[in-house]
Amino acid sequence: EDQVTQSPEALRLQEGESSSLNCSYTVSGLRGLFWYRQDPGKGPEFLFTLYSAGEEKEKERLKATLTKKESFLHITAPKPEDSATYLCAVSSNFGNEKLTFGTGTRLTIIP
Amino acid sequence: DTAVSQTPKYLVTQMGNDKSIKCEQNLGHDTMYWYKQDSKKFLKIMFSYNNKELIINETVPNRFSPKSPDKAHLNLHINSLELGDSAVYFCASSQDRLQGGTEAFFGQGTRLTVV
């Protein structure tokens, strides 16, 4: 069965303090690894899809990377508006497009 | 324009009642999903439909019955509601898997509280 583990569970950073979130996964044939952002009371908002080891994608202060076992979401010089829960999910070539999610990292950026 | 919309946003009901949650997407996607997010914020898939055909049914009690009248709509009907059904239910959609379907887009969620 596909599994996704995210760490840390929660992270508090000062504004401007860069850091990384980790997503470790086991999947039978990776179709894609996804990063989502979820704000309180809202649905997950799509950020990135990564398909193969070595791939990287960037969006503003966020950069996602992928290896064969894990993905990192790097946050550079974060701002308070980056505070949210970041969810990692995988889909497999045998899973009919379903997403298997991790439990998320709750990120708080302190002004 | 809302891409994936669910109604209602909040639903409070008594045990034993039957309720429905509606979902519509205007993205032209062929695949739609229902996910459940529990009190620990863990998101788990319940159902998936592709072009009105049930693709995924993940060990969900028979009290939950999805219905897809067309590929833009996927409704969730729940019979005989139980306290443990309290959660946030998310509808999502993605492009057809045969076209290399990728990311799923989520609605804003329906917070169901059973009392």
Side-chain angles (χ1 to χ4, degrees):
Chain A
E1 191 172 321
D2 303 338
Q3 284 194 323
V4 177
T5 303
Q6 292 187 247
S7 61
E9 189 174 313
L11 181 62
R12 289 171 64 89
L13 300 172
Q14 293 289 332
E15 184 173 358
E17 181 185 0
S18 301
S19 188
S20 297
L21 313 183
N22 178 264
C23 170
S24 298
Y25 65 92
T26 55
V27 63
S28 50
L30 180 70
R31 174 184 280 275
L33 184 140
F34 305 83
W35 283 98
Y36 284 84
R37 168 190 171 131
Q38 186 174 23
D39 293 297
K42 296 191 175 181
E45 177 188 343
F46 170 74
L47 293 174
F48 304 108
T49 309
L50 301 167
Y51 294 103
S52 56
E55 190 174 358
E56 299 183 352
K57 288 192 177 173
E58 286 188 69
K59 180 181 179 180
E60 296 181 353
R61 294 176 292 282
L62 300 176
K63 178 180 175 180
T65 62
L66 180 66
T67 72
K68 288 186 177 180
K69 293 184 178 181
E70 58 190 350
S71 175
F72 290 94
L73 185 65
H74 306 278
I75 303 176
T76 302
K79 299 182 178 181
E81 53 262 41
D82 295 322
S83 297
T85 295
Y86 290 86
L87 299 168
C88 174
V90 296
S91 67
S92 82
N93 289 320
F94 309 101
N96 287 319
E97 311 308 313
K98 76 171 184 178
L99 294 175
T100 299
F101 280 87
T103 49
T105 293
R106 190 172 65 254
L107 177 66
T108 304
I109 307 301
I110 304 162
Chain B
D1 278 349
T2 303
V4 181
S5 60
Q6 300 176 224
T7 54
K9 187 171 171 63
Y10 300 97
L11 184 54
V12 181
T13 187
Q14 290 188 325
M15 281 176 55
N17 284 350
D18 302 338
K19 290 293 178 184
S20 292
I21 306 171
K22 295 185 177 181
C23 179
E24 176 182 4
Q25 56 96 2
N26 63 6
L27 297 167
H29 290 166
D30 290 299
T31 304
M32 295 186 72
Y33 313 80
W34 278 108
Y35 282 83
K36 179 180 179 179
Q37 190 169 46
D38 61 22
S39 57
K40 296 184 178 180
K41 308 298 184 186
F42 182 59
L43 261 170
K44 187 173 171 63
I45 191 162
M46 299 173 68
F47 300 104
S48 165
Y49 268 74
N50 180 268
N51 266 321
K52 302 195 298 176
E53 180 187 352
L54 180 65
I55 301 298
I56 297 173
N57 182 341
E58 288 276 315
T59 323
V60 178
N62 291 337
R63 299 181 296 102
F64 290 79
S65 54
K67 286 186 171 51
S68 181
D70 55 61
K71 75 174 193 178
H73 296 83
L74 180 62
N75 304 322
L76 183 65
H77 189 77
I78 315 170
N79 289 328
S80 303
L81 278 155
E82 301 177 357
L83 292 176
D85 297 331
S86 296
V88 182
Y89 293 84
F90 287 100
C91 178
S93 72
S94 67
Q95 274 192 313
D96 190 286
R97 58 195 169 97
L98 295 177
Q99 298 170 9
T102 55
E103 62 270 13
F105 293 88
F106 286 77
Q108 82 276 21
T110 296
R111 180 174 294 278
L112 171 65
T113 304
V114 183
V115 297

